[in-house]
Amino acid sequence: MKKILIFSVLIAAATSAQAASALSHTDTNFLNKAVMGNMFEIQASQLALTMTKAPADQTFAKQMISDHTKLGNDVRAAVAKVDANMMLPGSVSKAQQRMLNKLKKSGKNFDKLYKADMLSSHAKTITLFANYTASRHANPTIKAAAMNALPTIKMHHDEAKTLPKM
């Protein structure tokens, strides 16, 4: 009887700890948007490597791919610590896919459109991350990863402003 009671207490404690570490709606909403935005910026920058001739855009695109790959890995590691079963998006949103398709078809206007997309995407990302990190409902582990990423995202936005408009 004692063994059953101890076993029951252990199961209850494990269930409570698991429930306490589960991600809230605030967390999952943030993560879904952040991951899709990150993928969009990588994919748009991969297009830039093949479609632009502007050295500044090439350099910026390489930095975006490198930094956003690292940011994505950092977010996945933070999520794994909190909820290993959380399924993160595997693709961009429909709106982001339309933007990527438009970039692919932009021809001579690629550089102008790429710059506009990077400015817009990073501005939205800054707002998303700032709102999430200010939320009292944010998971501390995910919040820390977001706070660590925010300076890089702001730097990208500032650098995108300096890209030529061609």
Side-chain angles (χ1 to χ4, degrees):
M1 181 72 167
K2 255 186 180 177
K3 286 182 182 179
I4 293 174
L5 182 60
I6 291 172
F7 186 70
S8 297
V9 169
L10 288 174
I11 289 175
T15 304
S16 295
Q18 190 175 26
S21 70
L23 296 170
S24 70
H25 174 71
T26 299
D27 300 317
T28 57
N29 186 48
F30 164 75
L31 287 166
N32 287 328
K33 289 178 181 178
V35 168
M36 287 187 287
N38 196 57
M39 284 189 287
F40 169 76
E41 291 170 11
I42 290 171
Q43 290 176 26
S45 295
Q46 288 169 332
L47 285 173
L49 292 179
T50 62
M51 295 187 69
T52 187
K53 301 294 184 245
D57 285 356
Q58 289 273 330
T59 300
F60 181 77
K62 288 176 186 173
Q63 181 180 353
M64 291 300 97
I65 294 166
S66 174
D67 289 353
H68 281 279
T69 298
K70 182 187 179 313
L71 291 174
N73 290 338
D74 292 347
V75 167
R76 279 188 284 286
V79 170
K81 287 180 185 176
V82 178
D83 185 351
N85 296 320
M86 167 73 180
M87 294 296 297
L88 296 171
S91 62
V92 297
S93 70
K94 289 179 182 178
Q96 290 164 331
Q97 187 59 56
R98 283 191 298 274
M99 292 167 66
L100 289 169
N101 293 341
K102 192 173 178 182
L103 271 173
K104 288 176 190 174
K105 297 174 185 176
S106 62
K108 291 187 270 183
N109 293 323
F110 179 85
D111 294 331
K112 181 179 177 181
L113 188 56
Y114 176 65
K115 178 179 180 171
D117 284 351
M118 288 298 101
L119 285 169
S120 173
S121 181
H122 282 91
K124 288 176 186 173
T125 302
I126 289 168
T127 301
L128 175 69
F129 276 59
N131 289 342
Y132 178 74
T133 58
S135 172
R136 62 186 177 93
H137 301 290
N139 176 282
T141 302
I142 306 300
K143 183 176 184 173
M147 290 176 75
N148 287 337
L150 200 48
T152 301
I153 297 163
K154 287 178 179 178
M155 178 187 69
H156 291 167
H157 187 253
D158 291 342
E159 289 175 355
K161 291 176 186 176
T162 67
L163 292 174
K165 287 189 179 177
M166 299 191 151

